[in-house]
Amino acid sequence: MELSTISSNLLYGAFILYLIATFFFGGTIRTKGKEKASTRTGNIAITITIIGFLSQVGYFITRWIASHHAPVSNLFEFTTFFGMMLVLAFIVIYFIYRLNLLGLFTLPVALLVIAYASMFPREISPLIPALKTHWLYIHVTTAALGEAILAVSFAAGLIYLIKSVDQSKLNKKTFWLEFIIYALYATIGFIVITSVFRGIGYDSTFQIPSEMENAEPTKVEFTLPAITGPHNGELITNGAMQPIFNVPEWMSGDKAASKLNTFIWSLLTGLVLYGLTLLILRKRVAAAIQPYLTKVNPDLVDEVSYRAVAIGFPVFTLGALIFAMIWAQQAWNRFWGWDPKEVWALVTWLFYAVFLHLRLSQGWQGERSAWLAVIGFAIIMFNLIAVNLVIAGLHSYA
Amino acid sequence: MKNITCECGHVNPEGTVLCEACGKPIEGNQHINGNQPNKLLNMRYDGSARRSQTYNKTFVDKIWNFFSSVKVGVWLIALTLIASAIGTIFPQEANNQSPLPANQYYEQNYGIAGKIYYQLGFHDLYGSWWYMLLVASIGISLVIASLDRFVPLYRALKKQKPKRHETFLTKQRLFGQADQATEEDKEALVQGLKKQRYKVYEQDGHILAEKGRFARWGPYVNHIGLIIFLIGTLLRFVPAMYIDESMWVREGETKQIPGTDRQYYIKNEDFFVETYDKDDPRYQEAIEEQGGTVVKNYQTNAVLYERTDEALPGSEPELKKIKEGAIQVNRPIKVDQFALYQTTYQLDEFKTMTFKIHEKSDEDEKELDTFTVDLVDPKPEYNLENGIRITVDNYFPEFEMQNGEPTSVSKYPKNPAFVFNIFTPDNPDKPEVSFVGIGANLDPSGENQYKVGLKDFETRDVTGLTITKDLTLPILGLGGLIFMIGVIQGMYWNHRRIWIHPREEGVWIAGHTNKNWFGIKRDLEKIVEGTNVPMVTDQNELKE
Ligand code: HEM
């Protein structure tokens, strides 16, 4: 078997193992007694998680050998790596606190991240000159690890909120909590809809006249039916769906329209899935989960969430700011260029600085701290996804 | 200064909330930390006397108090955060490639939103005075807030005594009474504490066990790191510290390196761009996906020279070769304090053009003579064999028609065009005018006898380099390093204290940590194991 095939299989294996482990972590929830059985199930779950992690490490190493450079150089590779670090961060924090429930919330996030990653082109790609330096690997891996540890804080914060937000009536808090859950659904939506149309082999092409005279028109491919088309674009595939509207002129990148289109599809699919869940549950999703969390000690969850930030903040600083500056200094002879991706790393860092100061001096604990952990994760995801989609700078991999 | 003497005999500075030695709440000062009789003690900065909480009269006091407030600090950080984020909505002026001036660019591309963005100054946000003011305020706030807390906290931790006031103990978050505890139990507790690597201090049978005090200095260390970093960024405005220049060097050309005071010169031996092999099975698919070419390397083979004579303007320099090597992206070449980076390039710039002249009426275009023009430095006049003289009337290195007028959009020979005057022996006073460029050959009068045509040309590549000298880098590096040491010190270690207080019957135990209560509770569980002492209670949990 070829090395790259072995590599993909190892990743696939890791995915399945994480999925199984999630169910075992689910099995540790007891609303009544039986501590022992619960501990045993928990041990099985963490063992499977570790095997899955090792399998993913195997994927990483084999792919490294196959591609001759550390596999963190495109969106697929980076995002799967982030998923791997998320599992690592979870394992570490699990052994500090032995909180089974954390697995039930972190592993699905890792699963989503990896599934999301695999929607991007997966071939092994060559490195452009700016990326040819060890500092790139060092920067990207440490930054991903830092973000992953901070993401564990989000998982714990979410548990805290689902447990403690009063679900008896609809208000701002319950609304935003559902909104977070819906955001997870939209990610699933992205994965589902992309896979479906890829399965069918859907493809439509648009032609955009070039701004320069006599130049060939640009061709843009859509892999999902176009709800929104490129500015001035003309559909040239027969029988494909006509866009409902075209994007405004300033969204001028070749792929801007297709990215927005995918985004809209993901939101809609997520909405359908979320709607179906509501129909089945007949109550808010968070309200349906809440009864399973009665035995959770909120102070402990709060502590885990805070601890993850305390551990993750230095790692994030080192990876996303300091190493990034060293790399930028080498590659572009300026350690800082106010590129959107850089600015959003700074924003993330400032945000967690605010988090720490509020917590330490203003006593923001418990629920407020949990909301902050959620917002922090939203900023990280924004930087990982939206900045690439919307405001592409030097770092835009894909 | 009104000092306060506690009943334990210790003299505390004005504004103290909890006696530095025994921890007894000092009457009349409890409001400072918001302590209430039936609540746990606020242990912030150990109840030490902070300037900002004590004085509020003079103007200096007011400024001090403003900047030492964490609430203000958090606001400053939050504002910087929001502003930074807004700065990414549209491209910054410095980062966008458009030829349009900013006052048109934003409105044309982004409509009314763009116009507002521009008018509010967000197009150059990170260089704007108010952004810098925000960052500077954070710096000031960092210094003042740190000083305000560090000194008193240091004092309080230095002066603390193992023997604590009972009110102090009962109002700690972790507190337990062990009335049955014997002397052996107490001894076992002390052994347990030592085993957990606590430093144990004793005073009249009272025990203070402490570990990780140095973690308390973490925030101050990291703030110092930040300050050093900020100072480093300020120093870039000092010209001697920071130079950032750029230059173009053509293949074969030797040029003085800007910013080096005519000391160093560089010769571009060769510039080239390499691409990945399309058929390399490893990357085949990805290369196809990306349109067939992926660049592998940009490289200038350079030779560096140093001037050995006095640098007088106008004199030809005497050069000594000092270094030879490749400049690649990510691999600058360094000389002295300067680093030369591969930044950009121009392939196939025209070097020379060779023209031929023939009679216009001649079907075969028989060549009468040729002449070669150096496109960087064209001679004004060319004398040909048969008495024909050609002068350069006008030269457009990068020719373009703009509003019906021929112009040059740059001084680089990317699309050269000429207006020649042709003086013939028959007609030495009235020249024929001829326009020649790439794919263009005009006879404006329509009455020319001779025609000048492009016969041949030579091209070469041009490399674009940036030269930087940045003496602030070591300072920035130092700041970063100190920051990292500080955050790790403050985040990965915690300051834990456990007090054992002998009573007539048994002992009391209290515990405090600056963070990670889970950790200190686990310590306590291990310590009380095997003794008659029950586990302490977390009074925080009781109150709910
Ligand atoms: C971007 C800027 C800043 C960063 C990255 C930063 C970082 C930190 C960190 C990591 C801690 C330790 C927190 C913890 O242990 O949980 C801390 C503590 C602290 N910071 Fe900052 N800080 C910044 C700006 C400020 C400013 C502007 C102030 C001014 C009010 C300030 C005041 C404090 C105080 C009072 C503490 C607590 C010190 C202690 O408990 O002994 N910080 N800071």
Side-chain angles (χ1 to χ4, degrees):
Chain A
M1 218 186 327
E2 231 183 296
L3 203 54
S4 51
T5 323
I6 298 177
S7 179
S8 328
N9 287 341
L10 283 172
L11 180 61
Y12 192 64
F15 187 85
I16 302 288
L17 287 167
Y18 296 154
L19 193 62
I20 298 172
T22 308
F23 284 110
F24 274 95
F25 277 121
T28 61
I29 293 187
R30 298 291 139 105
T31 32
K32 292 189 279 300
K34 289 202 204 133
E35 282 297 324
K36 261 222 181 98
S38 172
T39 317
R40 191 155 12 92
T41 322
N43 286 341
I44 298 173
I46 190 70
T47 311
I48 299 175
T49 310
I50 293 173
I51 300 173
F53 176 72
L54 293 177
S55 172
Q56 198 175 356
V57 171
Y59 140 82
F60 187 76
I61 295 173
T62 44
R63 187 165 171 111
W64 190 327
I65 298 171
S67 64
H68 285 196
H69 56 76
V72 285
S73 68
N74 61 29
L75 210 52
F76 162 71
E77 292 177 342
F78 175 74
T79 314
T80 39
F81 184 80
F82 175 67
M84 181 163 105
M85 290 299 101
L86 194 54
V87 176
L88 176 64
F90 161 67
I91 293 173
V92 170
I93 291 179
Y94 180 84
F95 281 107
I96 303 179
Y97 292 101
R98 299 255 168 201
L99 189 60
N100 287 320
L101 201 57
L102 196 60
L104 185 60
F105 280 75
T106 317
L107 287 183
V109 176
L111 284 167
L112 270 184
V113 166
I114 296 171
Y116 172 81
S118 60
M119 297 298 117
F120 294 98
R122 270 174 287 179
E123 30 328 300
I124 288 175
S125 45
L127 287 185
I128 59 167
L131 301 186
K132 277 189 190 163
T133 154
H134 293 301
W135 284 110
L136 168 72
Y137 309 146
I138 299 171
H139 151 56
V140 172
T141 51
T142 336
L145 178 62
E147 288 171 349
I149 302 173
L150 294 172
V152 173
S153 153
F154 157 74
L158 192 58
I159 298 175
Y160 191 98
L161 291 176
I162 295 179
K163 157 130 186 127
S164 62
V165 167
D166 176 12
Q167 289 288 352
S168 59
K169 56 187 180 301
L170 180 71
N171 56 23
K172 256 202 325 230
K173 285 181 187 170
T174 47
F175 169 81
W176 284 109
L177 192 52
E178 284 310 284
F179 182 83
I180 300 162
I181 293 169
Y182 163 67
L184 297 174
Y185 270 91
T187 317
I188 303 176
F190 168 75
I191 295 160
V192 168
I193 202 73
T194 315
S195 310
V196 165
F197 280 102
R198 188 176 287 172
I200 306 173
Y202 185 89
D203 191 13
S204 62
T205 306
F206 284 82
Q207 209 171 32
I208 312 171
S210 172
E211 280 181 26
M212 270 164 302
E213 283 166 55
N214 316 327
E216 284 278 303
T218 330
K219 289 210 166 87
V220 182
E221 277 187 41
F222 276 53
T223 49
L224 297 178
I227 294 174
T228 167
H231 184 72
N232 281 337
E234 184 195 341
L235 185 66
I236 54 174
T237 308
N238 280 332
M241 178 170 140
Q242 277 291 349
I244 300 170
F245 66 97
N246 285 347
V247 298
E249 191 180 356
W250 56 266
M251 290 188 73
S252 54
D254 276 1
K255 295 191 178 134
S258 130
K259 283 174 176 172
L260 179 67
N261 188 49
T262 308
F263 185 63
I264 295 174
W265 269 106
S266 310
L267 291 186
L268 292 179
T269 317
L271 204 58
V272 171
L273 294 173
Y274 178 75
L276 286 175
T277 316
L278 283 193
L279 273 182
I280 296 166
L281 295 175
R282 304 206 158 270
K283 57 175 109 160
R284 286 188 290 279
V285 177
I289 305 175
Q290 197 173 46
Y292 294 100
L293 305 184
T294 44
K295 286 195 91 184
V296 175
N297 172 358
D299 275 353
L300 184 62
V301 180
D302 175 54
E303 164 112 17
V304 171
S305 174
Y306 174 43
R307 197 76 194 286
V309 176
I311 299 175
F313 185 73
V315 180
F316 179 83
T317 311
L318 192 64
L321 295 172
I322 297 185
F323 289 157
M325 288 191 216
I326 296 177
W327 173 40
Q329 181 66 28
Q330 276 206 355
W332 298 289
N333 74 60
R334 46 143 193 78
F335 62 90
W336 194 259
W338 298 109
D339 159 83
K341 197 97 188 170
E342 283 171 353
V343 175
W344 277 92
L346 178 70
V347 167
T348 313
W349 184 73
L350 291 174
F351 180 83
Y352 281 102
V354 166
F355 178 111
L356 289 170
H357 286 101
L358 284 177
R359 173 125 193 163
L360 200 66
S361 303
Q362 309 289 318
W364 279 40
Q365 304 200 344
E367 197 179 311
R368 293 209 224 179
S369 168
W371 284 113
L372 289 181
V374 168
I375 298 171
F377 183 67
I379 296 177
I380 291 177
M381 285 298 119
F382 182 80
N383 199 7
L384 238 49
I385 299 167
V387 173
N388 281 343
L389 293 184
V390 188
I391 7 185
L394 291 168
H395 287 68
S396 59
Y397 291 119
Chain B
M1 271 230 297
K2 291 194 305 258
N3 290 338
I4 306 157
T5 311
C6 175
E7 65 176 38
C8 73
H10 183 76
V11 183
N12 294 290
E14 182 183 356
T16 304
V17 185
L18 304 173
C19 169
E20 292 171 327
C22 74
K24 177 173 189 272
I26 285 166
E27 233 171 280
N29 281 351
Q30 293 312 299
H31 61 281
I32 295 178
N33 269 359
N35 287 330
Q36 281 162 24
N38 47 1
K39 288 246 175 85
L40 297 179
L41 284 181
N42 181 348
M43 285 289 286
R44 219 184 290 160
Y45 312 107
D46 268 44
S48 56
R50 288 160 50 200
R51 190 188 195 288
S52 62
Q53 308 297 312
T54 314
Y55 306 104
N56 191 14
K57 292 216 181 68
T58 64
F59 180 66
V60 175
D61 292 344
K62 296 223 152 73
I63 296 282
W64 181 276
N65 296 354
F66 177 77
F67 281 112
S68 79
S69 149
V70 173
K71 207 178 236 164
V72 171
V74 165
W75 269 111
L76 290 172
I77 302 176
L79 287 174
T80 312
L81 181 165
I82 293 165
S84 307
I86 294 176
T88 63
I89 296 178
F90 299 133
Q92 288 289 300
E93 188 182 14
N95 287 352
N96 92 52
Q97 317 286 327
S98 166
L100 279 182
N103 57 11
Q104 293 168 30
Y105 171 81
Y106 289 93
E107 191 172 356
Q108 274 195 16
N109 279 280
Y110 307 111
I112 184 76
K115 186 172 176 181
I116 296 171
Y117 198 76
Y118 171 74
Q119 282 173 347
L120 291 178
F122 281 111
H123 65 293
D124 181 26
L125 173 76
Y126 309 113
S128 68
W129 63 267
W130 61 271
Y131 190 80
M132 294 205 202
L133 193 69
L134 271 177
V135 176
S137 309
I138 290 180
I140 295 169
S141 178
L142 270 169
V143 173
I144 294 183
S146 300
L147 285 176
D148 189 60
R149 290 163 174 82
F150 172 75
V151 179
L153 178 64
Y154 182 81
R155 234 184 96 99
L157 292 181
K158 192 111 191 135
K159 306 264 180 208
Q160 62 175 332
K161 294 259 161 60
K163 190 172 173 180
R164 290 266 133 177
H165 196 268
E166 295 196 344
T167 326
F168 177 85
L169 296 170
T170 52
K171 288 190 172 187
Q172 292 299 317
R173 179 169 157 187
L174 298 181
F175 178 68
Q177 299 179 332
D179 299 338
Q180 282 83 38
T182 59
E183 268 306 306
E184 288 84 68
D185 286 328
K186 201 180 136 198
E187 191 46 38
L189 290 179
V190 171
Q191 287 315 316
L193 284 164
K194 286 186 174 156
K195 226 169 112 198
Q196 297 295 321
R197 278 179 277 119
Y198 281 81
K199 267 197 206 141
V200 178
Y201 305 91
E202 199 186 335
Q203 177 195 11
D204 311 336
H206 295 256
I207 305 280
L208 161 65
E210 187 178 17
K211 73 174 172 191
R213 192 198 287 184
F214 81 105
R216 285 300 274 277
W217 316 132
Y220 308 102
V221 173
N222 87 46
H223 288 168
I224 291 173
L226 283 176
I227 292 291
I228 295 178
F229 189 92
L230 288 178
I231 291 175
T233 56
L234 278 184
L235 284 177
R236 325 195 103 215
F237 294 105
V238 179
M241 301 291 279
Y242 180 69
I243 284 172
D244 183 15
E245 302 270 356
S246 58
M247 72 188 298
W248 289 97
V249 199
R250 302 182 165 99
E251 277 172 340
E253 198 177 37
T254 304
K255 263 184 139 174
Q256 169 204 320
I257 304 177
T260 67
D261 254 348
R262 300 203 189 86
Q263 194 187 357
Y264 295 107
Y265 285 71
I266 185 170
K267 178 170 184 199
N268 175 0
E269 294 272 5
D270 187 17
F271 173 84
F272 57 90
V273 179
E274 283 175 290
T275 53
Y276 281 94
D277 178 4
K278 266 199 280 256
D279 303 320
D280 182 346
R282 186 184 307 276
Y283 303 130
Q284 213 170 13
E285 259 182 88
I287 292 177
E288 218 161 275
E289 176 104 348
Q290 289 172 40
T293 39
V294 177
V295 174
K296 189 175 176 185
N297 183 25
Y298 302 103
Q299 178 168 333
T300 307
N301 290 340
V303 186
L304 295 180
Y305 299 95
E306 184 167 13
R307 184 171 194 156
T308 51
D309 59 336
E310 216 35 39
L312 292 174
S315 68
E316 267 301 301
E318 281 168 31
L319 297 180
K320 192 182 84 187
K321 176 164 150 186
I322 49 170
K323 208 170 194 177
E324 191 169 9
I327 307 177
Q328 294 174 320
V329 174
N330 269 316
R331 285 182 186 66
I333 204 167
K334 292 193 176 138
V335 51
D336 209 358
Q337 291 162 339
F338 300 94
L340 281 84
Y341 289 85
Q342 182 69 55
T343 328
T344 171
Y345 64 95
Q346 169 78 46
L347 289 182
D348 300 326
E349 185 190 271
F350 289 95
K351 182 181 177 196
T352 61
M353 277 182 163
T354 304
F355 299 95
K356 69 173 183 182
I357 184 158
H358 59 90
E359 283 194 50
K360 203 175 173 187
S361 53
D362 180 1
E363 289 282 313
D364 301 335
E365 305 194 347
K366 196 169 92 58
E367 186 175 294
L368 299 173
D369 197 2
T370 63
F371 63 99
T372 298
V373 182
D374 178 345
L375 293 166
V376 177
D377 186 17
K379 281 195 289 182
E381 188 174 300
Y382 298 85
N383 286 308
L384 306 190
E385 296 249 308
N386 42 10
I388 298 179
R389 187 164 67 91
I390 296 185
T391 62
V392 176
D393 187 46
N394 215 337
Y395 169 37
F396 309 98
E398 188 171 358
F399 167 73
E400 215 170 79
M401 286 302 278
Q402 275 179 6
N403 312 325
E405 290 281 318
T407 48
S408 183
V409 290
S410 81
K411 57 181 201 261
Y412 303 110
K414 291 180 186 166
N415 181 24
F418 288 90
V419 178
F420 291 123
N421 286 338
I422 306 162
F423 295 88
T424 57
D426 325 336
N427 209 349
D429 302 327
K430 252 192 84 210
E432 292 181 3
V433 178
S434 179
F435 177 90
V436 196
I438 312 269
N441 201 325
L442 296 175
D443 167 6
S445 66
E447 294 168 1
N448 285 357
Q449 194 185 344
Y450 294 97
K451 185 170 175 181
V452 178
L454 183 60
K455 184 181 174 201
D456 202 0
F457 59 83
E458 271 183 280
T459 62
R460 60 182 162 187
D461 303 330
V462 194
T463 184
L465 305 174
T466 328
I467 300 93
T468 54
K469 168 174 121 173
D470 193 345
L471 300 184
T472 68
L473 289 180
I475 301 173
L476 300 177
L478 181 72
L481 182 72
I482 294 180
F483 178 82
M484 280 314 299
I485 293 174
V487 269
I488 289 176
Q489 180 180 345
M491 294 296 185
Y492 293 179
W493 278 271
N494 335 113
H495 180 215
R496 298 176 189 171
R497 276 175 293 173
I498 293 168
W499 294 273
I500 302 177
H501 190 83
R503 302 262 302 163
E504 260 156 44
E505 302 268 285
V507 296
W508 283 0
I509 301 182
H512 177 72
T513 180
N514 65 333
K515 56 170 61 115
N516 189 3
W517 292 87
F518 180 80
I520 191 175
K521 280 193 232 171
R522 207 161 41 180
D523 279 357
L524 277 162
E525 269 162 16
K526 283 186 195 146
I527 290 160
V528 299
E529 209 176 70
T531 66
N532 284 320
V533 180
M535 178 60 188
V536 299
T537 37
D538 185 338
Q539 307 201 71
N540 218 19
E541 284 173 358
L542 286 186
K543 81 174 190 257
E544 276 156 31

